[in-house]
Amino acid sequence: MIQDKPVRKVNFKMLEFAYCPGLVTPSGDKLQDLASLAAEEQWYFNGDPQGELRILFSYIHHTFNRIESEGKIEESDDGLMCCFNTGLHTKHYEEIFGVFQKNRVPGKQPWFLKEFLPKSKVGFPKLPERANYFEDISDIIFDYRLDIRIDIQHILDEDTERKNRLPAELRNVQNLEGAVNMTIKRIKSNYRLAIPQFYFGTGKIQLLIPLFSSNPEDNRVKAVIPIEKHSSGQFYQGHTCLDMRQAYNNARLIAKLDSDWLNPSAVVGVPGDEEEA
């Protein structure tokens, strides 16, 4: 299968670390193999081209970015192989590892992606841990006691693409302000609506909250607003919005989602960036 080089806003470090045939596009055969090995999960958004596993593509490359920054790549005793923990599991809950071997082609990446294997088939004496995104469990749970402050004017700034992530009816201050106020009331009444994401830009945990309209009877999610605790720890602040694809890709890095409002079937608009906040 001939693979085209992907055009990506994010620097995928695995493609610099290793030659990865079958993992450079969302339809690559190595990506298909990984999806078959892992526990069943929808790795594409409704409406995506058939065979393109865009969610898994984003997941595995962003996971490796984090793994690389944490130094969690383990080499074999002879130095000819190395592996990383994908953070995924088989249907029998075995951890899945990406296994590399030394690249023998001069002038190319130092490693070659060989395969993905369950833990029982990896012959390394020591296996690396999965990526870690938070130290304090309280970081991923919304504290309903704290105020939420959203910079509406910044979201509507004409010089950015943030405004275009909103439906037309919310692209003015009055309507967006009403929607934000209603959303805050909903979040305060049900803290489980807030879903954690890891934002690579700051290396911090943010919480994703669904943006509803000002109509309390309208349960459709219009966009997603990431919020994070102010440095004082006294309130949450938010200054941008994401589309559903961006939000799902970012949140899936931490854990498999079990959400009514954020899932691959709840897609708004066209494909967004793999990571942008």
Side-chain angles (χ1 to χ4, degrees):
M1 179 182 294
I2 298 175
Q3 303 292 348
D4 295 325
K5 290 185 178 180
V7 177
R8 287 292 177 269
K9 189 173 183 178
V10 180
N11 179 31
F12 289 156
K13 296 179 181 179
M14 196 191 312
L15 301 182
E16 300 173 355
F17 178 82
Y19 175 51
C20 301
L23 206 68
V24 297
T25 69
S27 59
D29 52 3
K30 278 285 199 308
L31 201 66
Q32 305 289 336
D33 292 343
L34 178 57
S36 298
L37 179 61
E40 186 175 354
E41 185 170 346
Q42 183 171 326
W43 290 115
Y44 57 89
F45 295 105
N46 286 0
D48 282 349
Q50 186 174 2
E52 291 198 357
L53 307 179
R54 294 185 178 184
I55 297 173
L56 184 56
F57 180 79
S58 174
Y59 172 86
I60 197 64
H61 282 290
H62 281 93
T63 295
F64 188 87
N65 279 10
R66 180 64 173 173
I67 287 290
E68 195 270 345
S69 69
E70 292 185 301
K72 293 181 177 177
I73 302 171
E74 192 71 31
E75 288 194 21
S76 60
D77 290 341
D78 59 11
L80 298 179
M81 307 282 288
C82 70
C83 70
F84 76 102
N85 192 323
T86 67
L88 300 175
H89 296 79
T90 69
K91 64 180 180 180
H92 299 298
Y93 295 97
E94 270 196 84
E95 293 176 294
I96 296 174
F97 293 83
V99 179
F100 304 92
Q101 64 183 29
K102 280 289 187 180
N103 193 348
R104 299 178 181 178
V105 180
K108 300 296 184 179
Q109 299 96 320
W111 298 94
F112 172 89
L113 177 62
K114 185 179 181 182
E115 57 192 335
F116 292 101
L117 293 174
K119 180 179 180 179
S120 60
K121 294 185 178 181
V122 181
F124 288 53
K126 181 181 178 182
L127 292 175
E129 297 179 354
R130 61 180 296 176
N132 183 49
Y133 296 99
F134 59 91
E135 300 299 333
D136 189 340
I137 195 69
S138 66
D139 290 342
I140 65 172
I141 301 174
F142 175 70
D143 188 343
Y144 67 90
R145 299 167 296 181
L146 302 184
D147 190 20
I148 302 176
R149 304 175 187 178
I150 306 298
D151 189 343
I152 293 174
Q153 195 61 57
H154 185 68
I155 293 176
L156 294 175
D157 191 335
E158 293 285 356
D159 294 332
T160 71
E161 62 183 37
R162 290 184 294 270
K163 183 175 180 179
N164 294 329
R165 297 171 185 163
L166 296 170
E169 69 268 21
L170 296 184
R171 294 178 188 175
N172 64 75
V173 172
Q174 182 178 356
N175 289 354
L176 182 55
E177 187 173 51
V180 166
N181 289 337
M182 178 56 65
T183 293
I184 290 174
K185 291 179 181 179
R186 290 194 182 209
I187 298 298
K188 292 276 189 177
S189 68
N190 182 4
Y191 73 93
R192 295 199 300 173
L193 285 174
I195 296 173
Q197 76 160 8
F198 181 80
Y199 178 44
F200 280 90
T202 60
K204 295 180 179 179
I205 289 291
Q206 296 178 330
L207 295 176
L208 301 172
I209 60 175
L211 178 65
F212 298 98
S213 74
S214 58
N215 180 359
E217 296 182 358
D218 185 355
N219 294 318
R220 293 172 296 177
V221 178
K222 307 298 183 178
V224 183
I225 296 181
I227 60 174
E228 64 180 62
K229 282 184 181 178
H230 184 260
S231 57
S232 67
Q234 300 301 306
F235 62 91
Y236 291 102
Q237 56 185 356
H239 59 269
T240 190
C241 64
L242 306 177
D243 64 38
M244 299 286 269
R245 291 173 179 260
Q246 294 168 322
Y248 188 89
N249 279 330
N250 290 356
R252 180 59 188 84
L253 287 175
I254 296 179
K256 183 176 180 179
L257 303 185
D258 183 17
S259 168
D260 290 334
W261 72 267
L262 188 57
N263 60 71
S265 298
V267 173
V268 175
V270 298
D273 299 321
E274 272 67 27
E275 176 221 344
E276 178 66 41

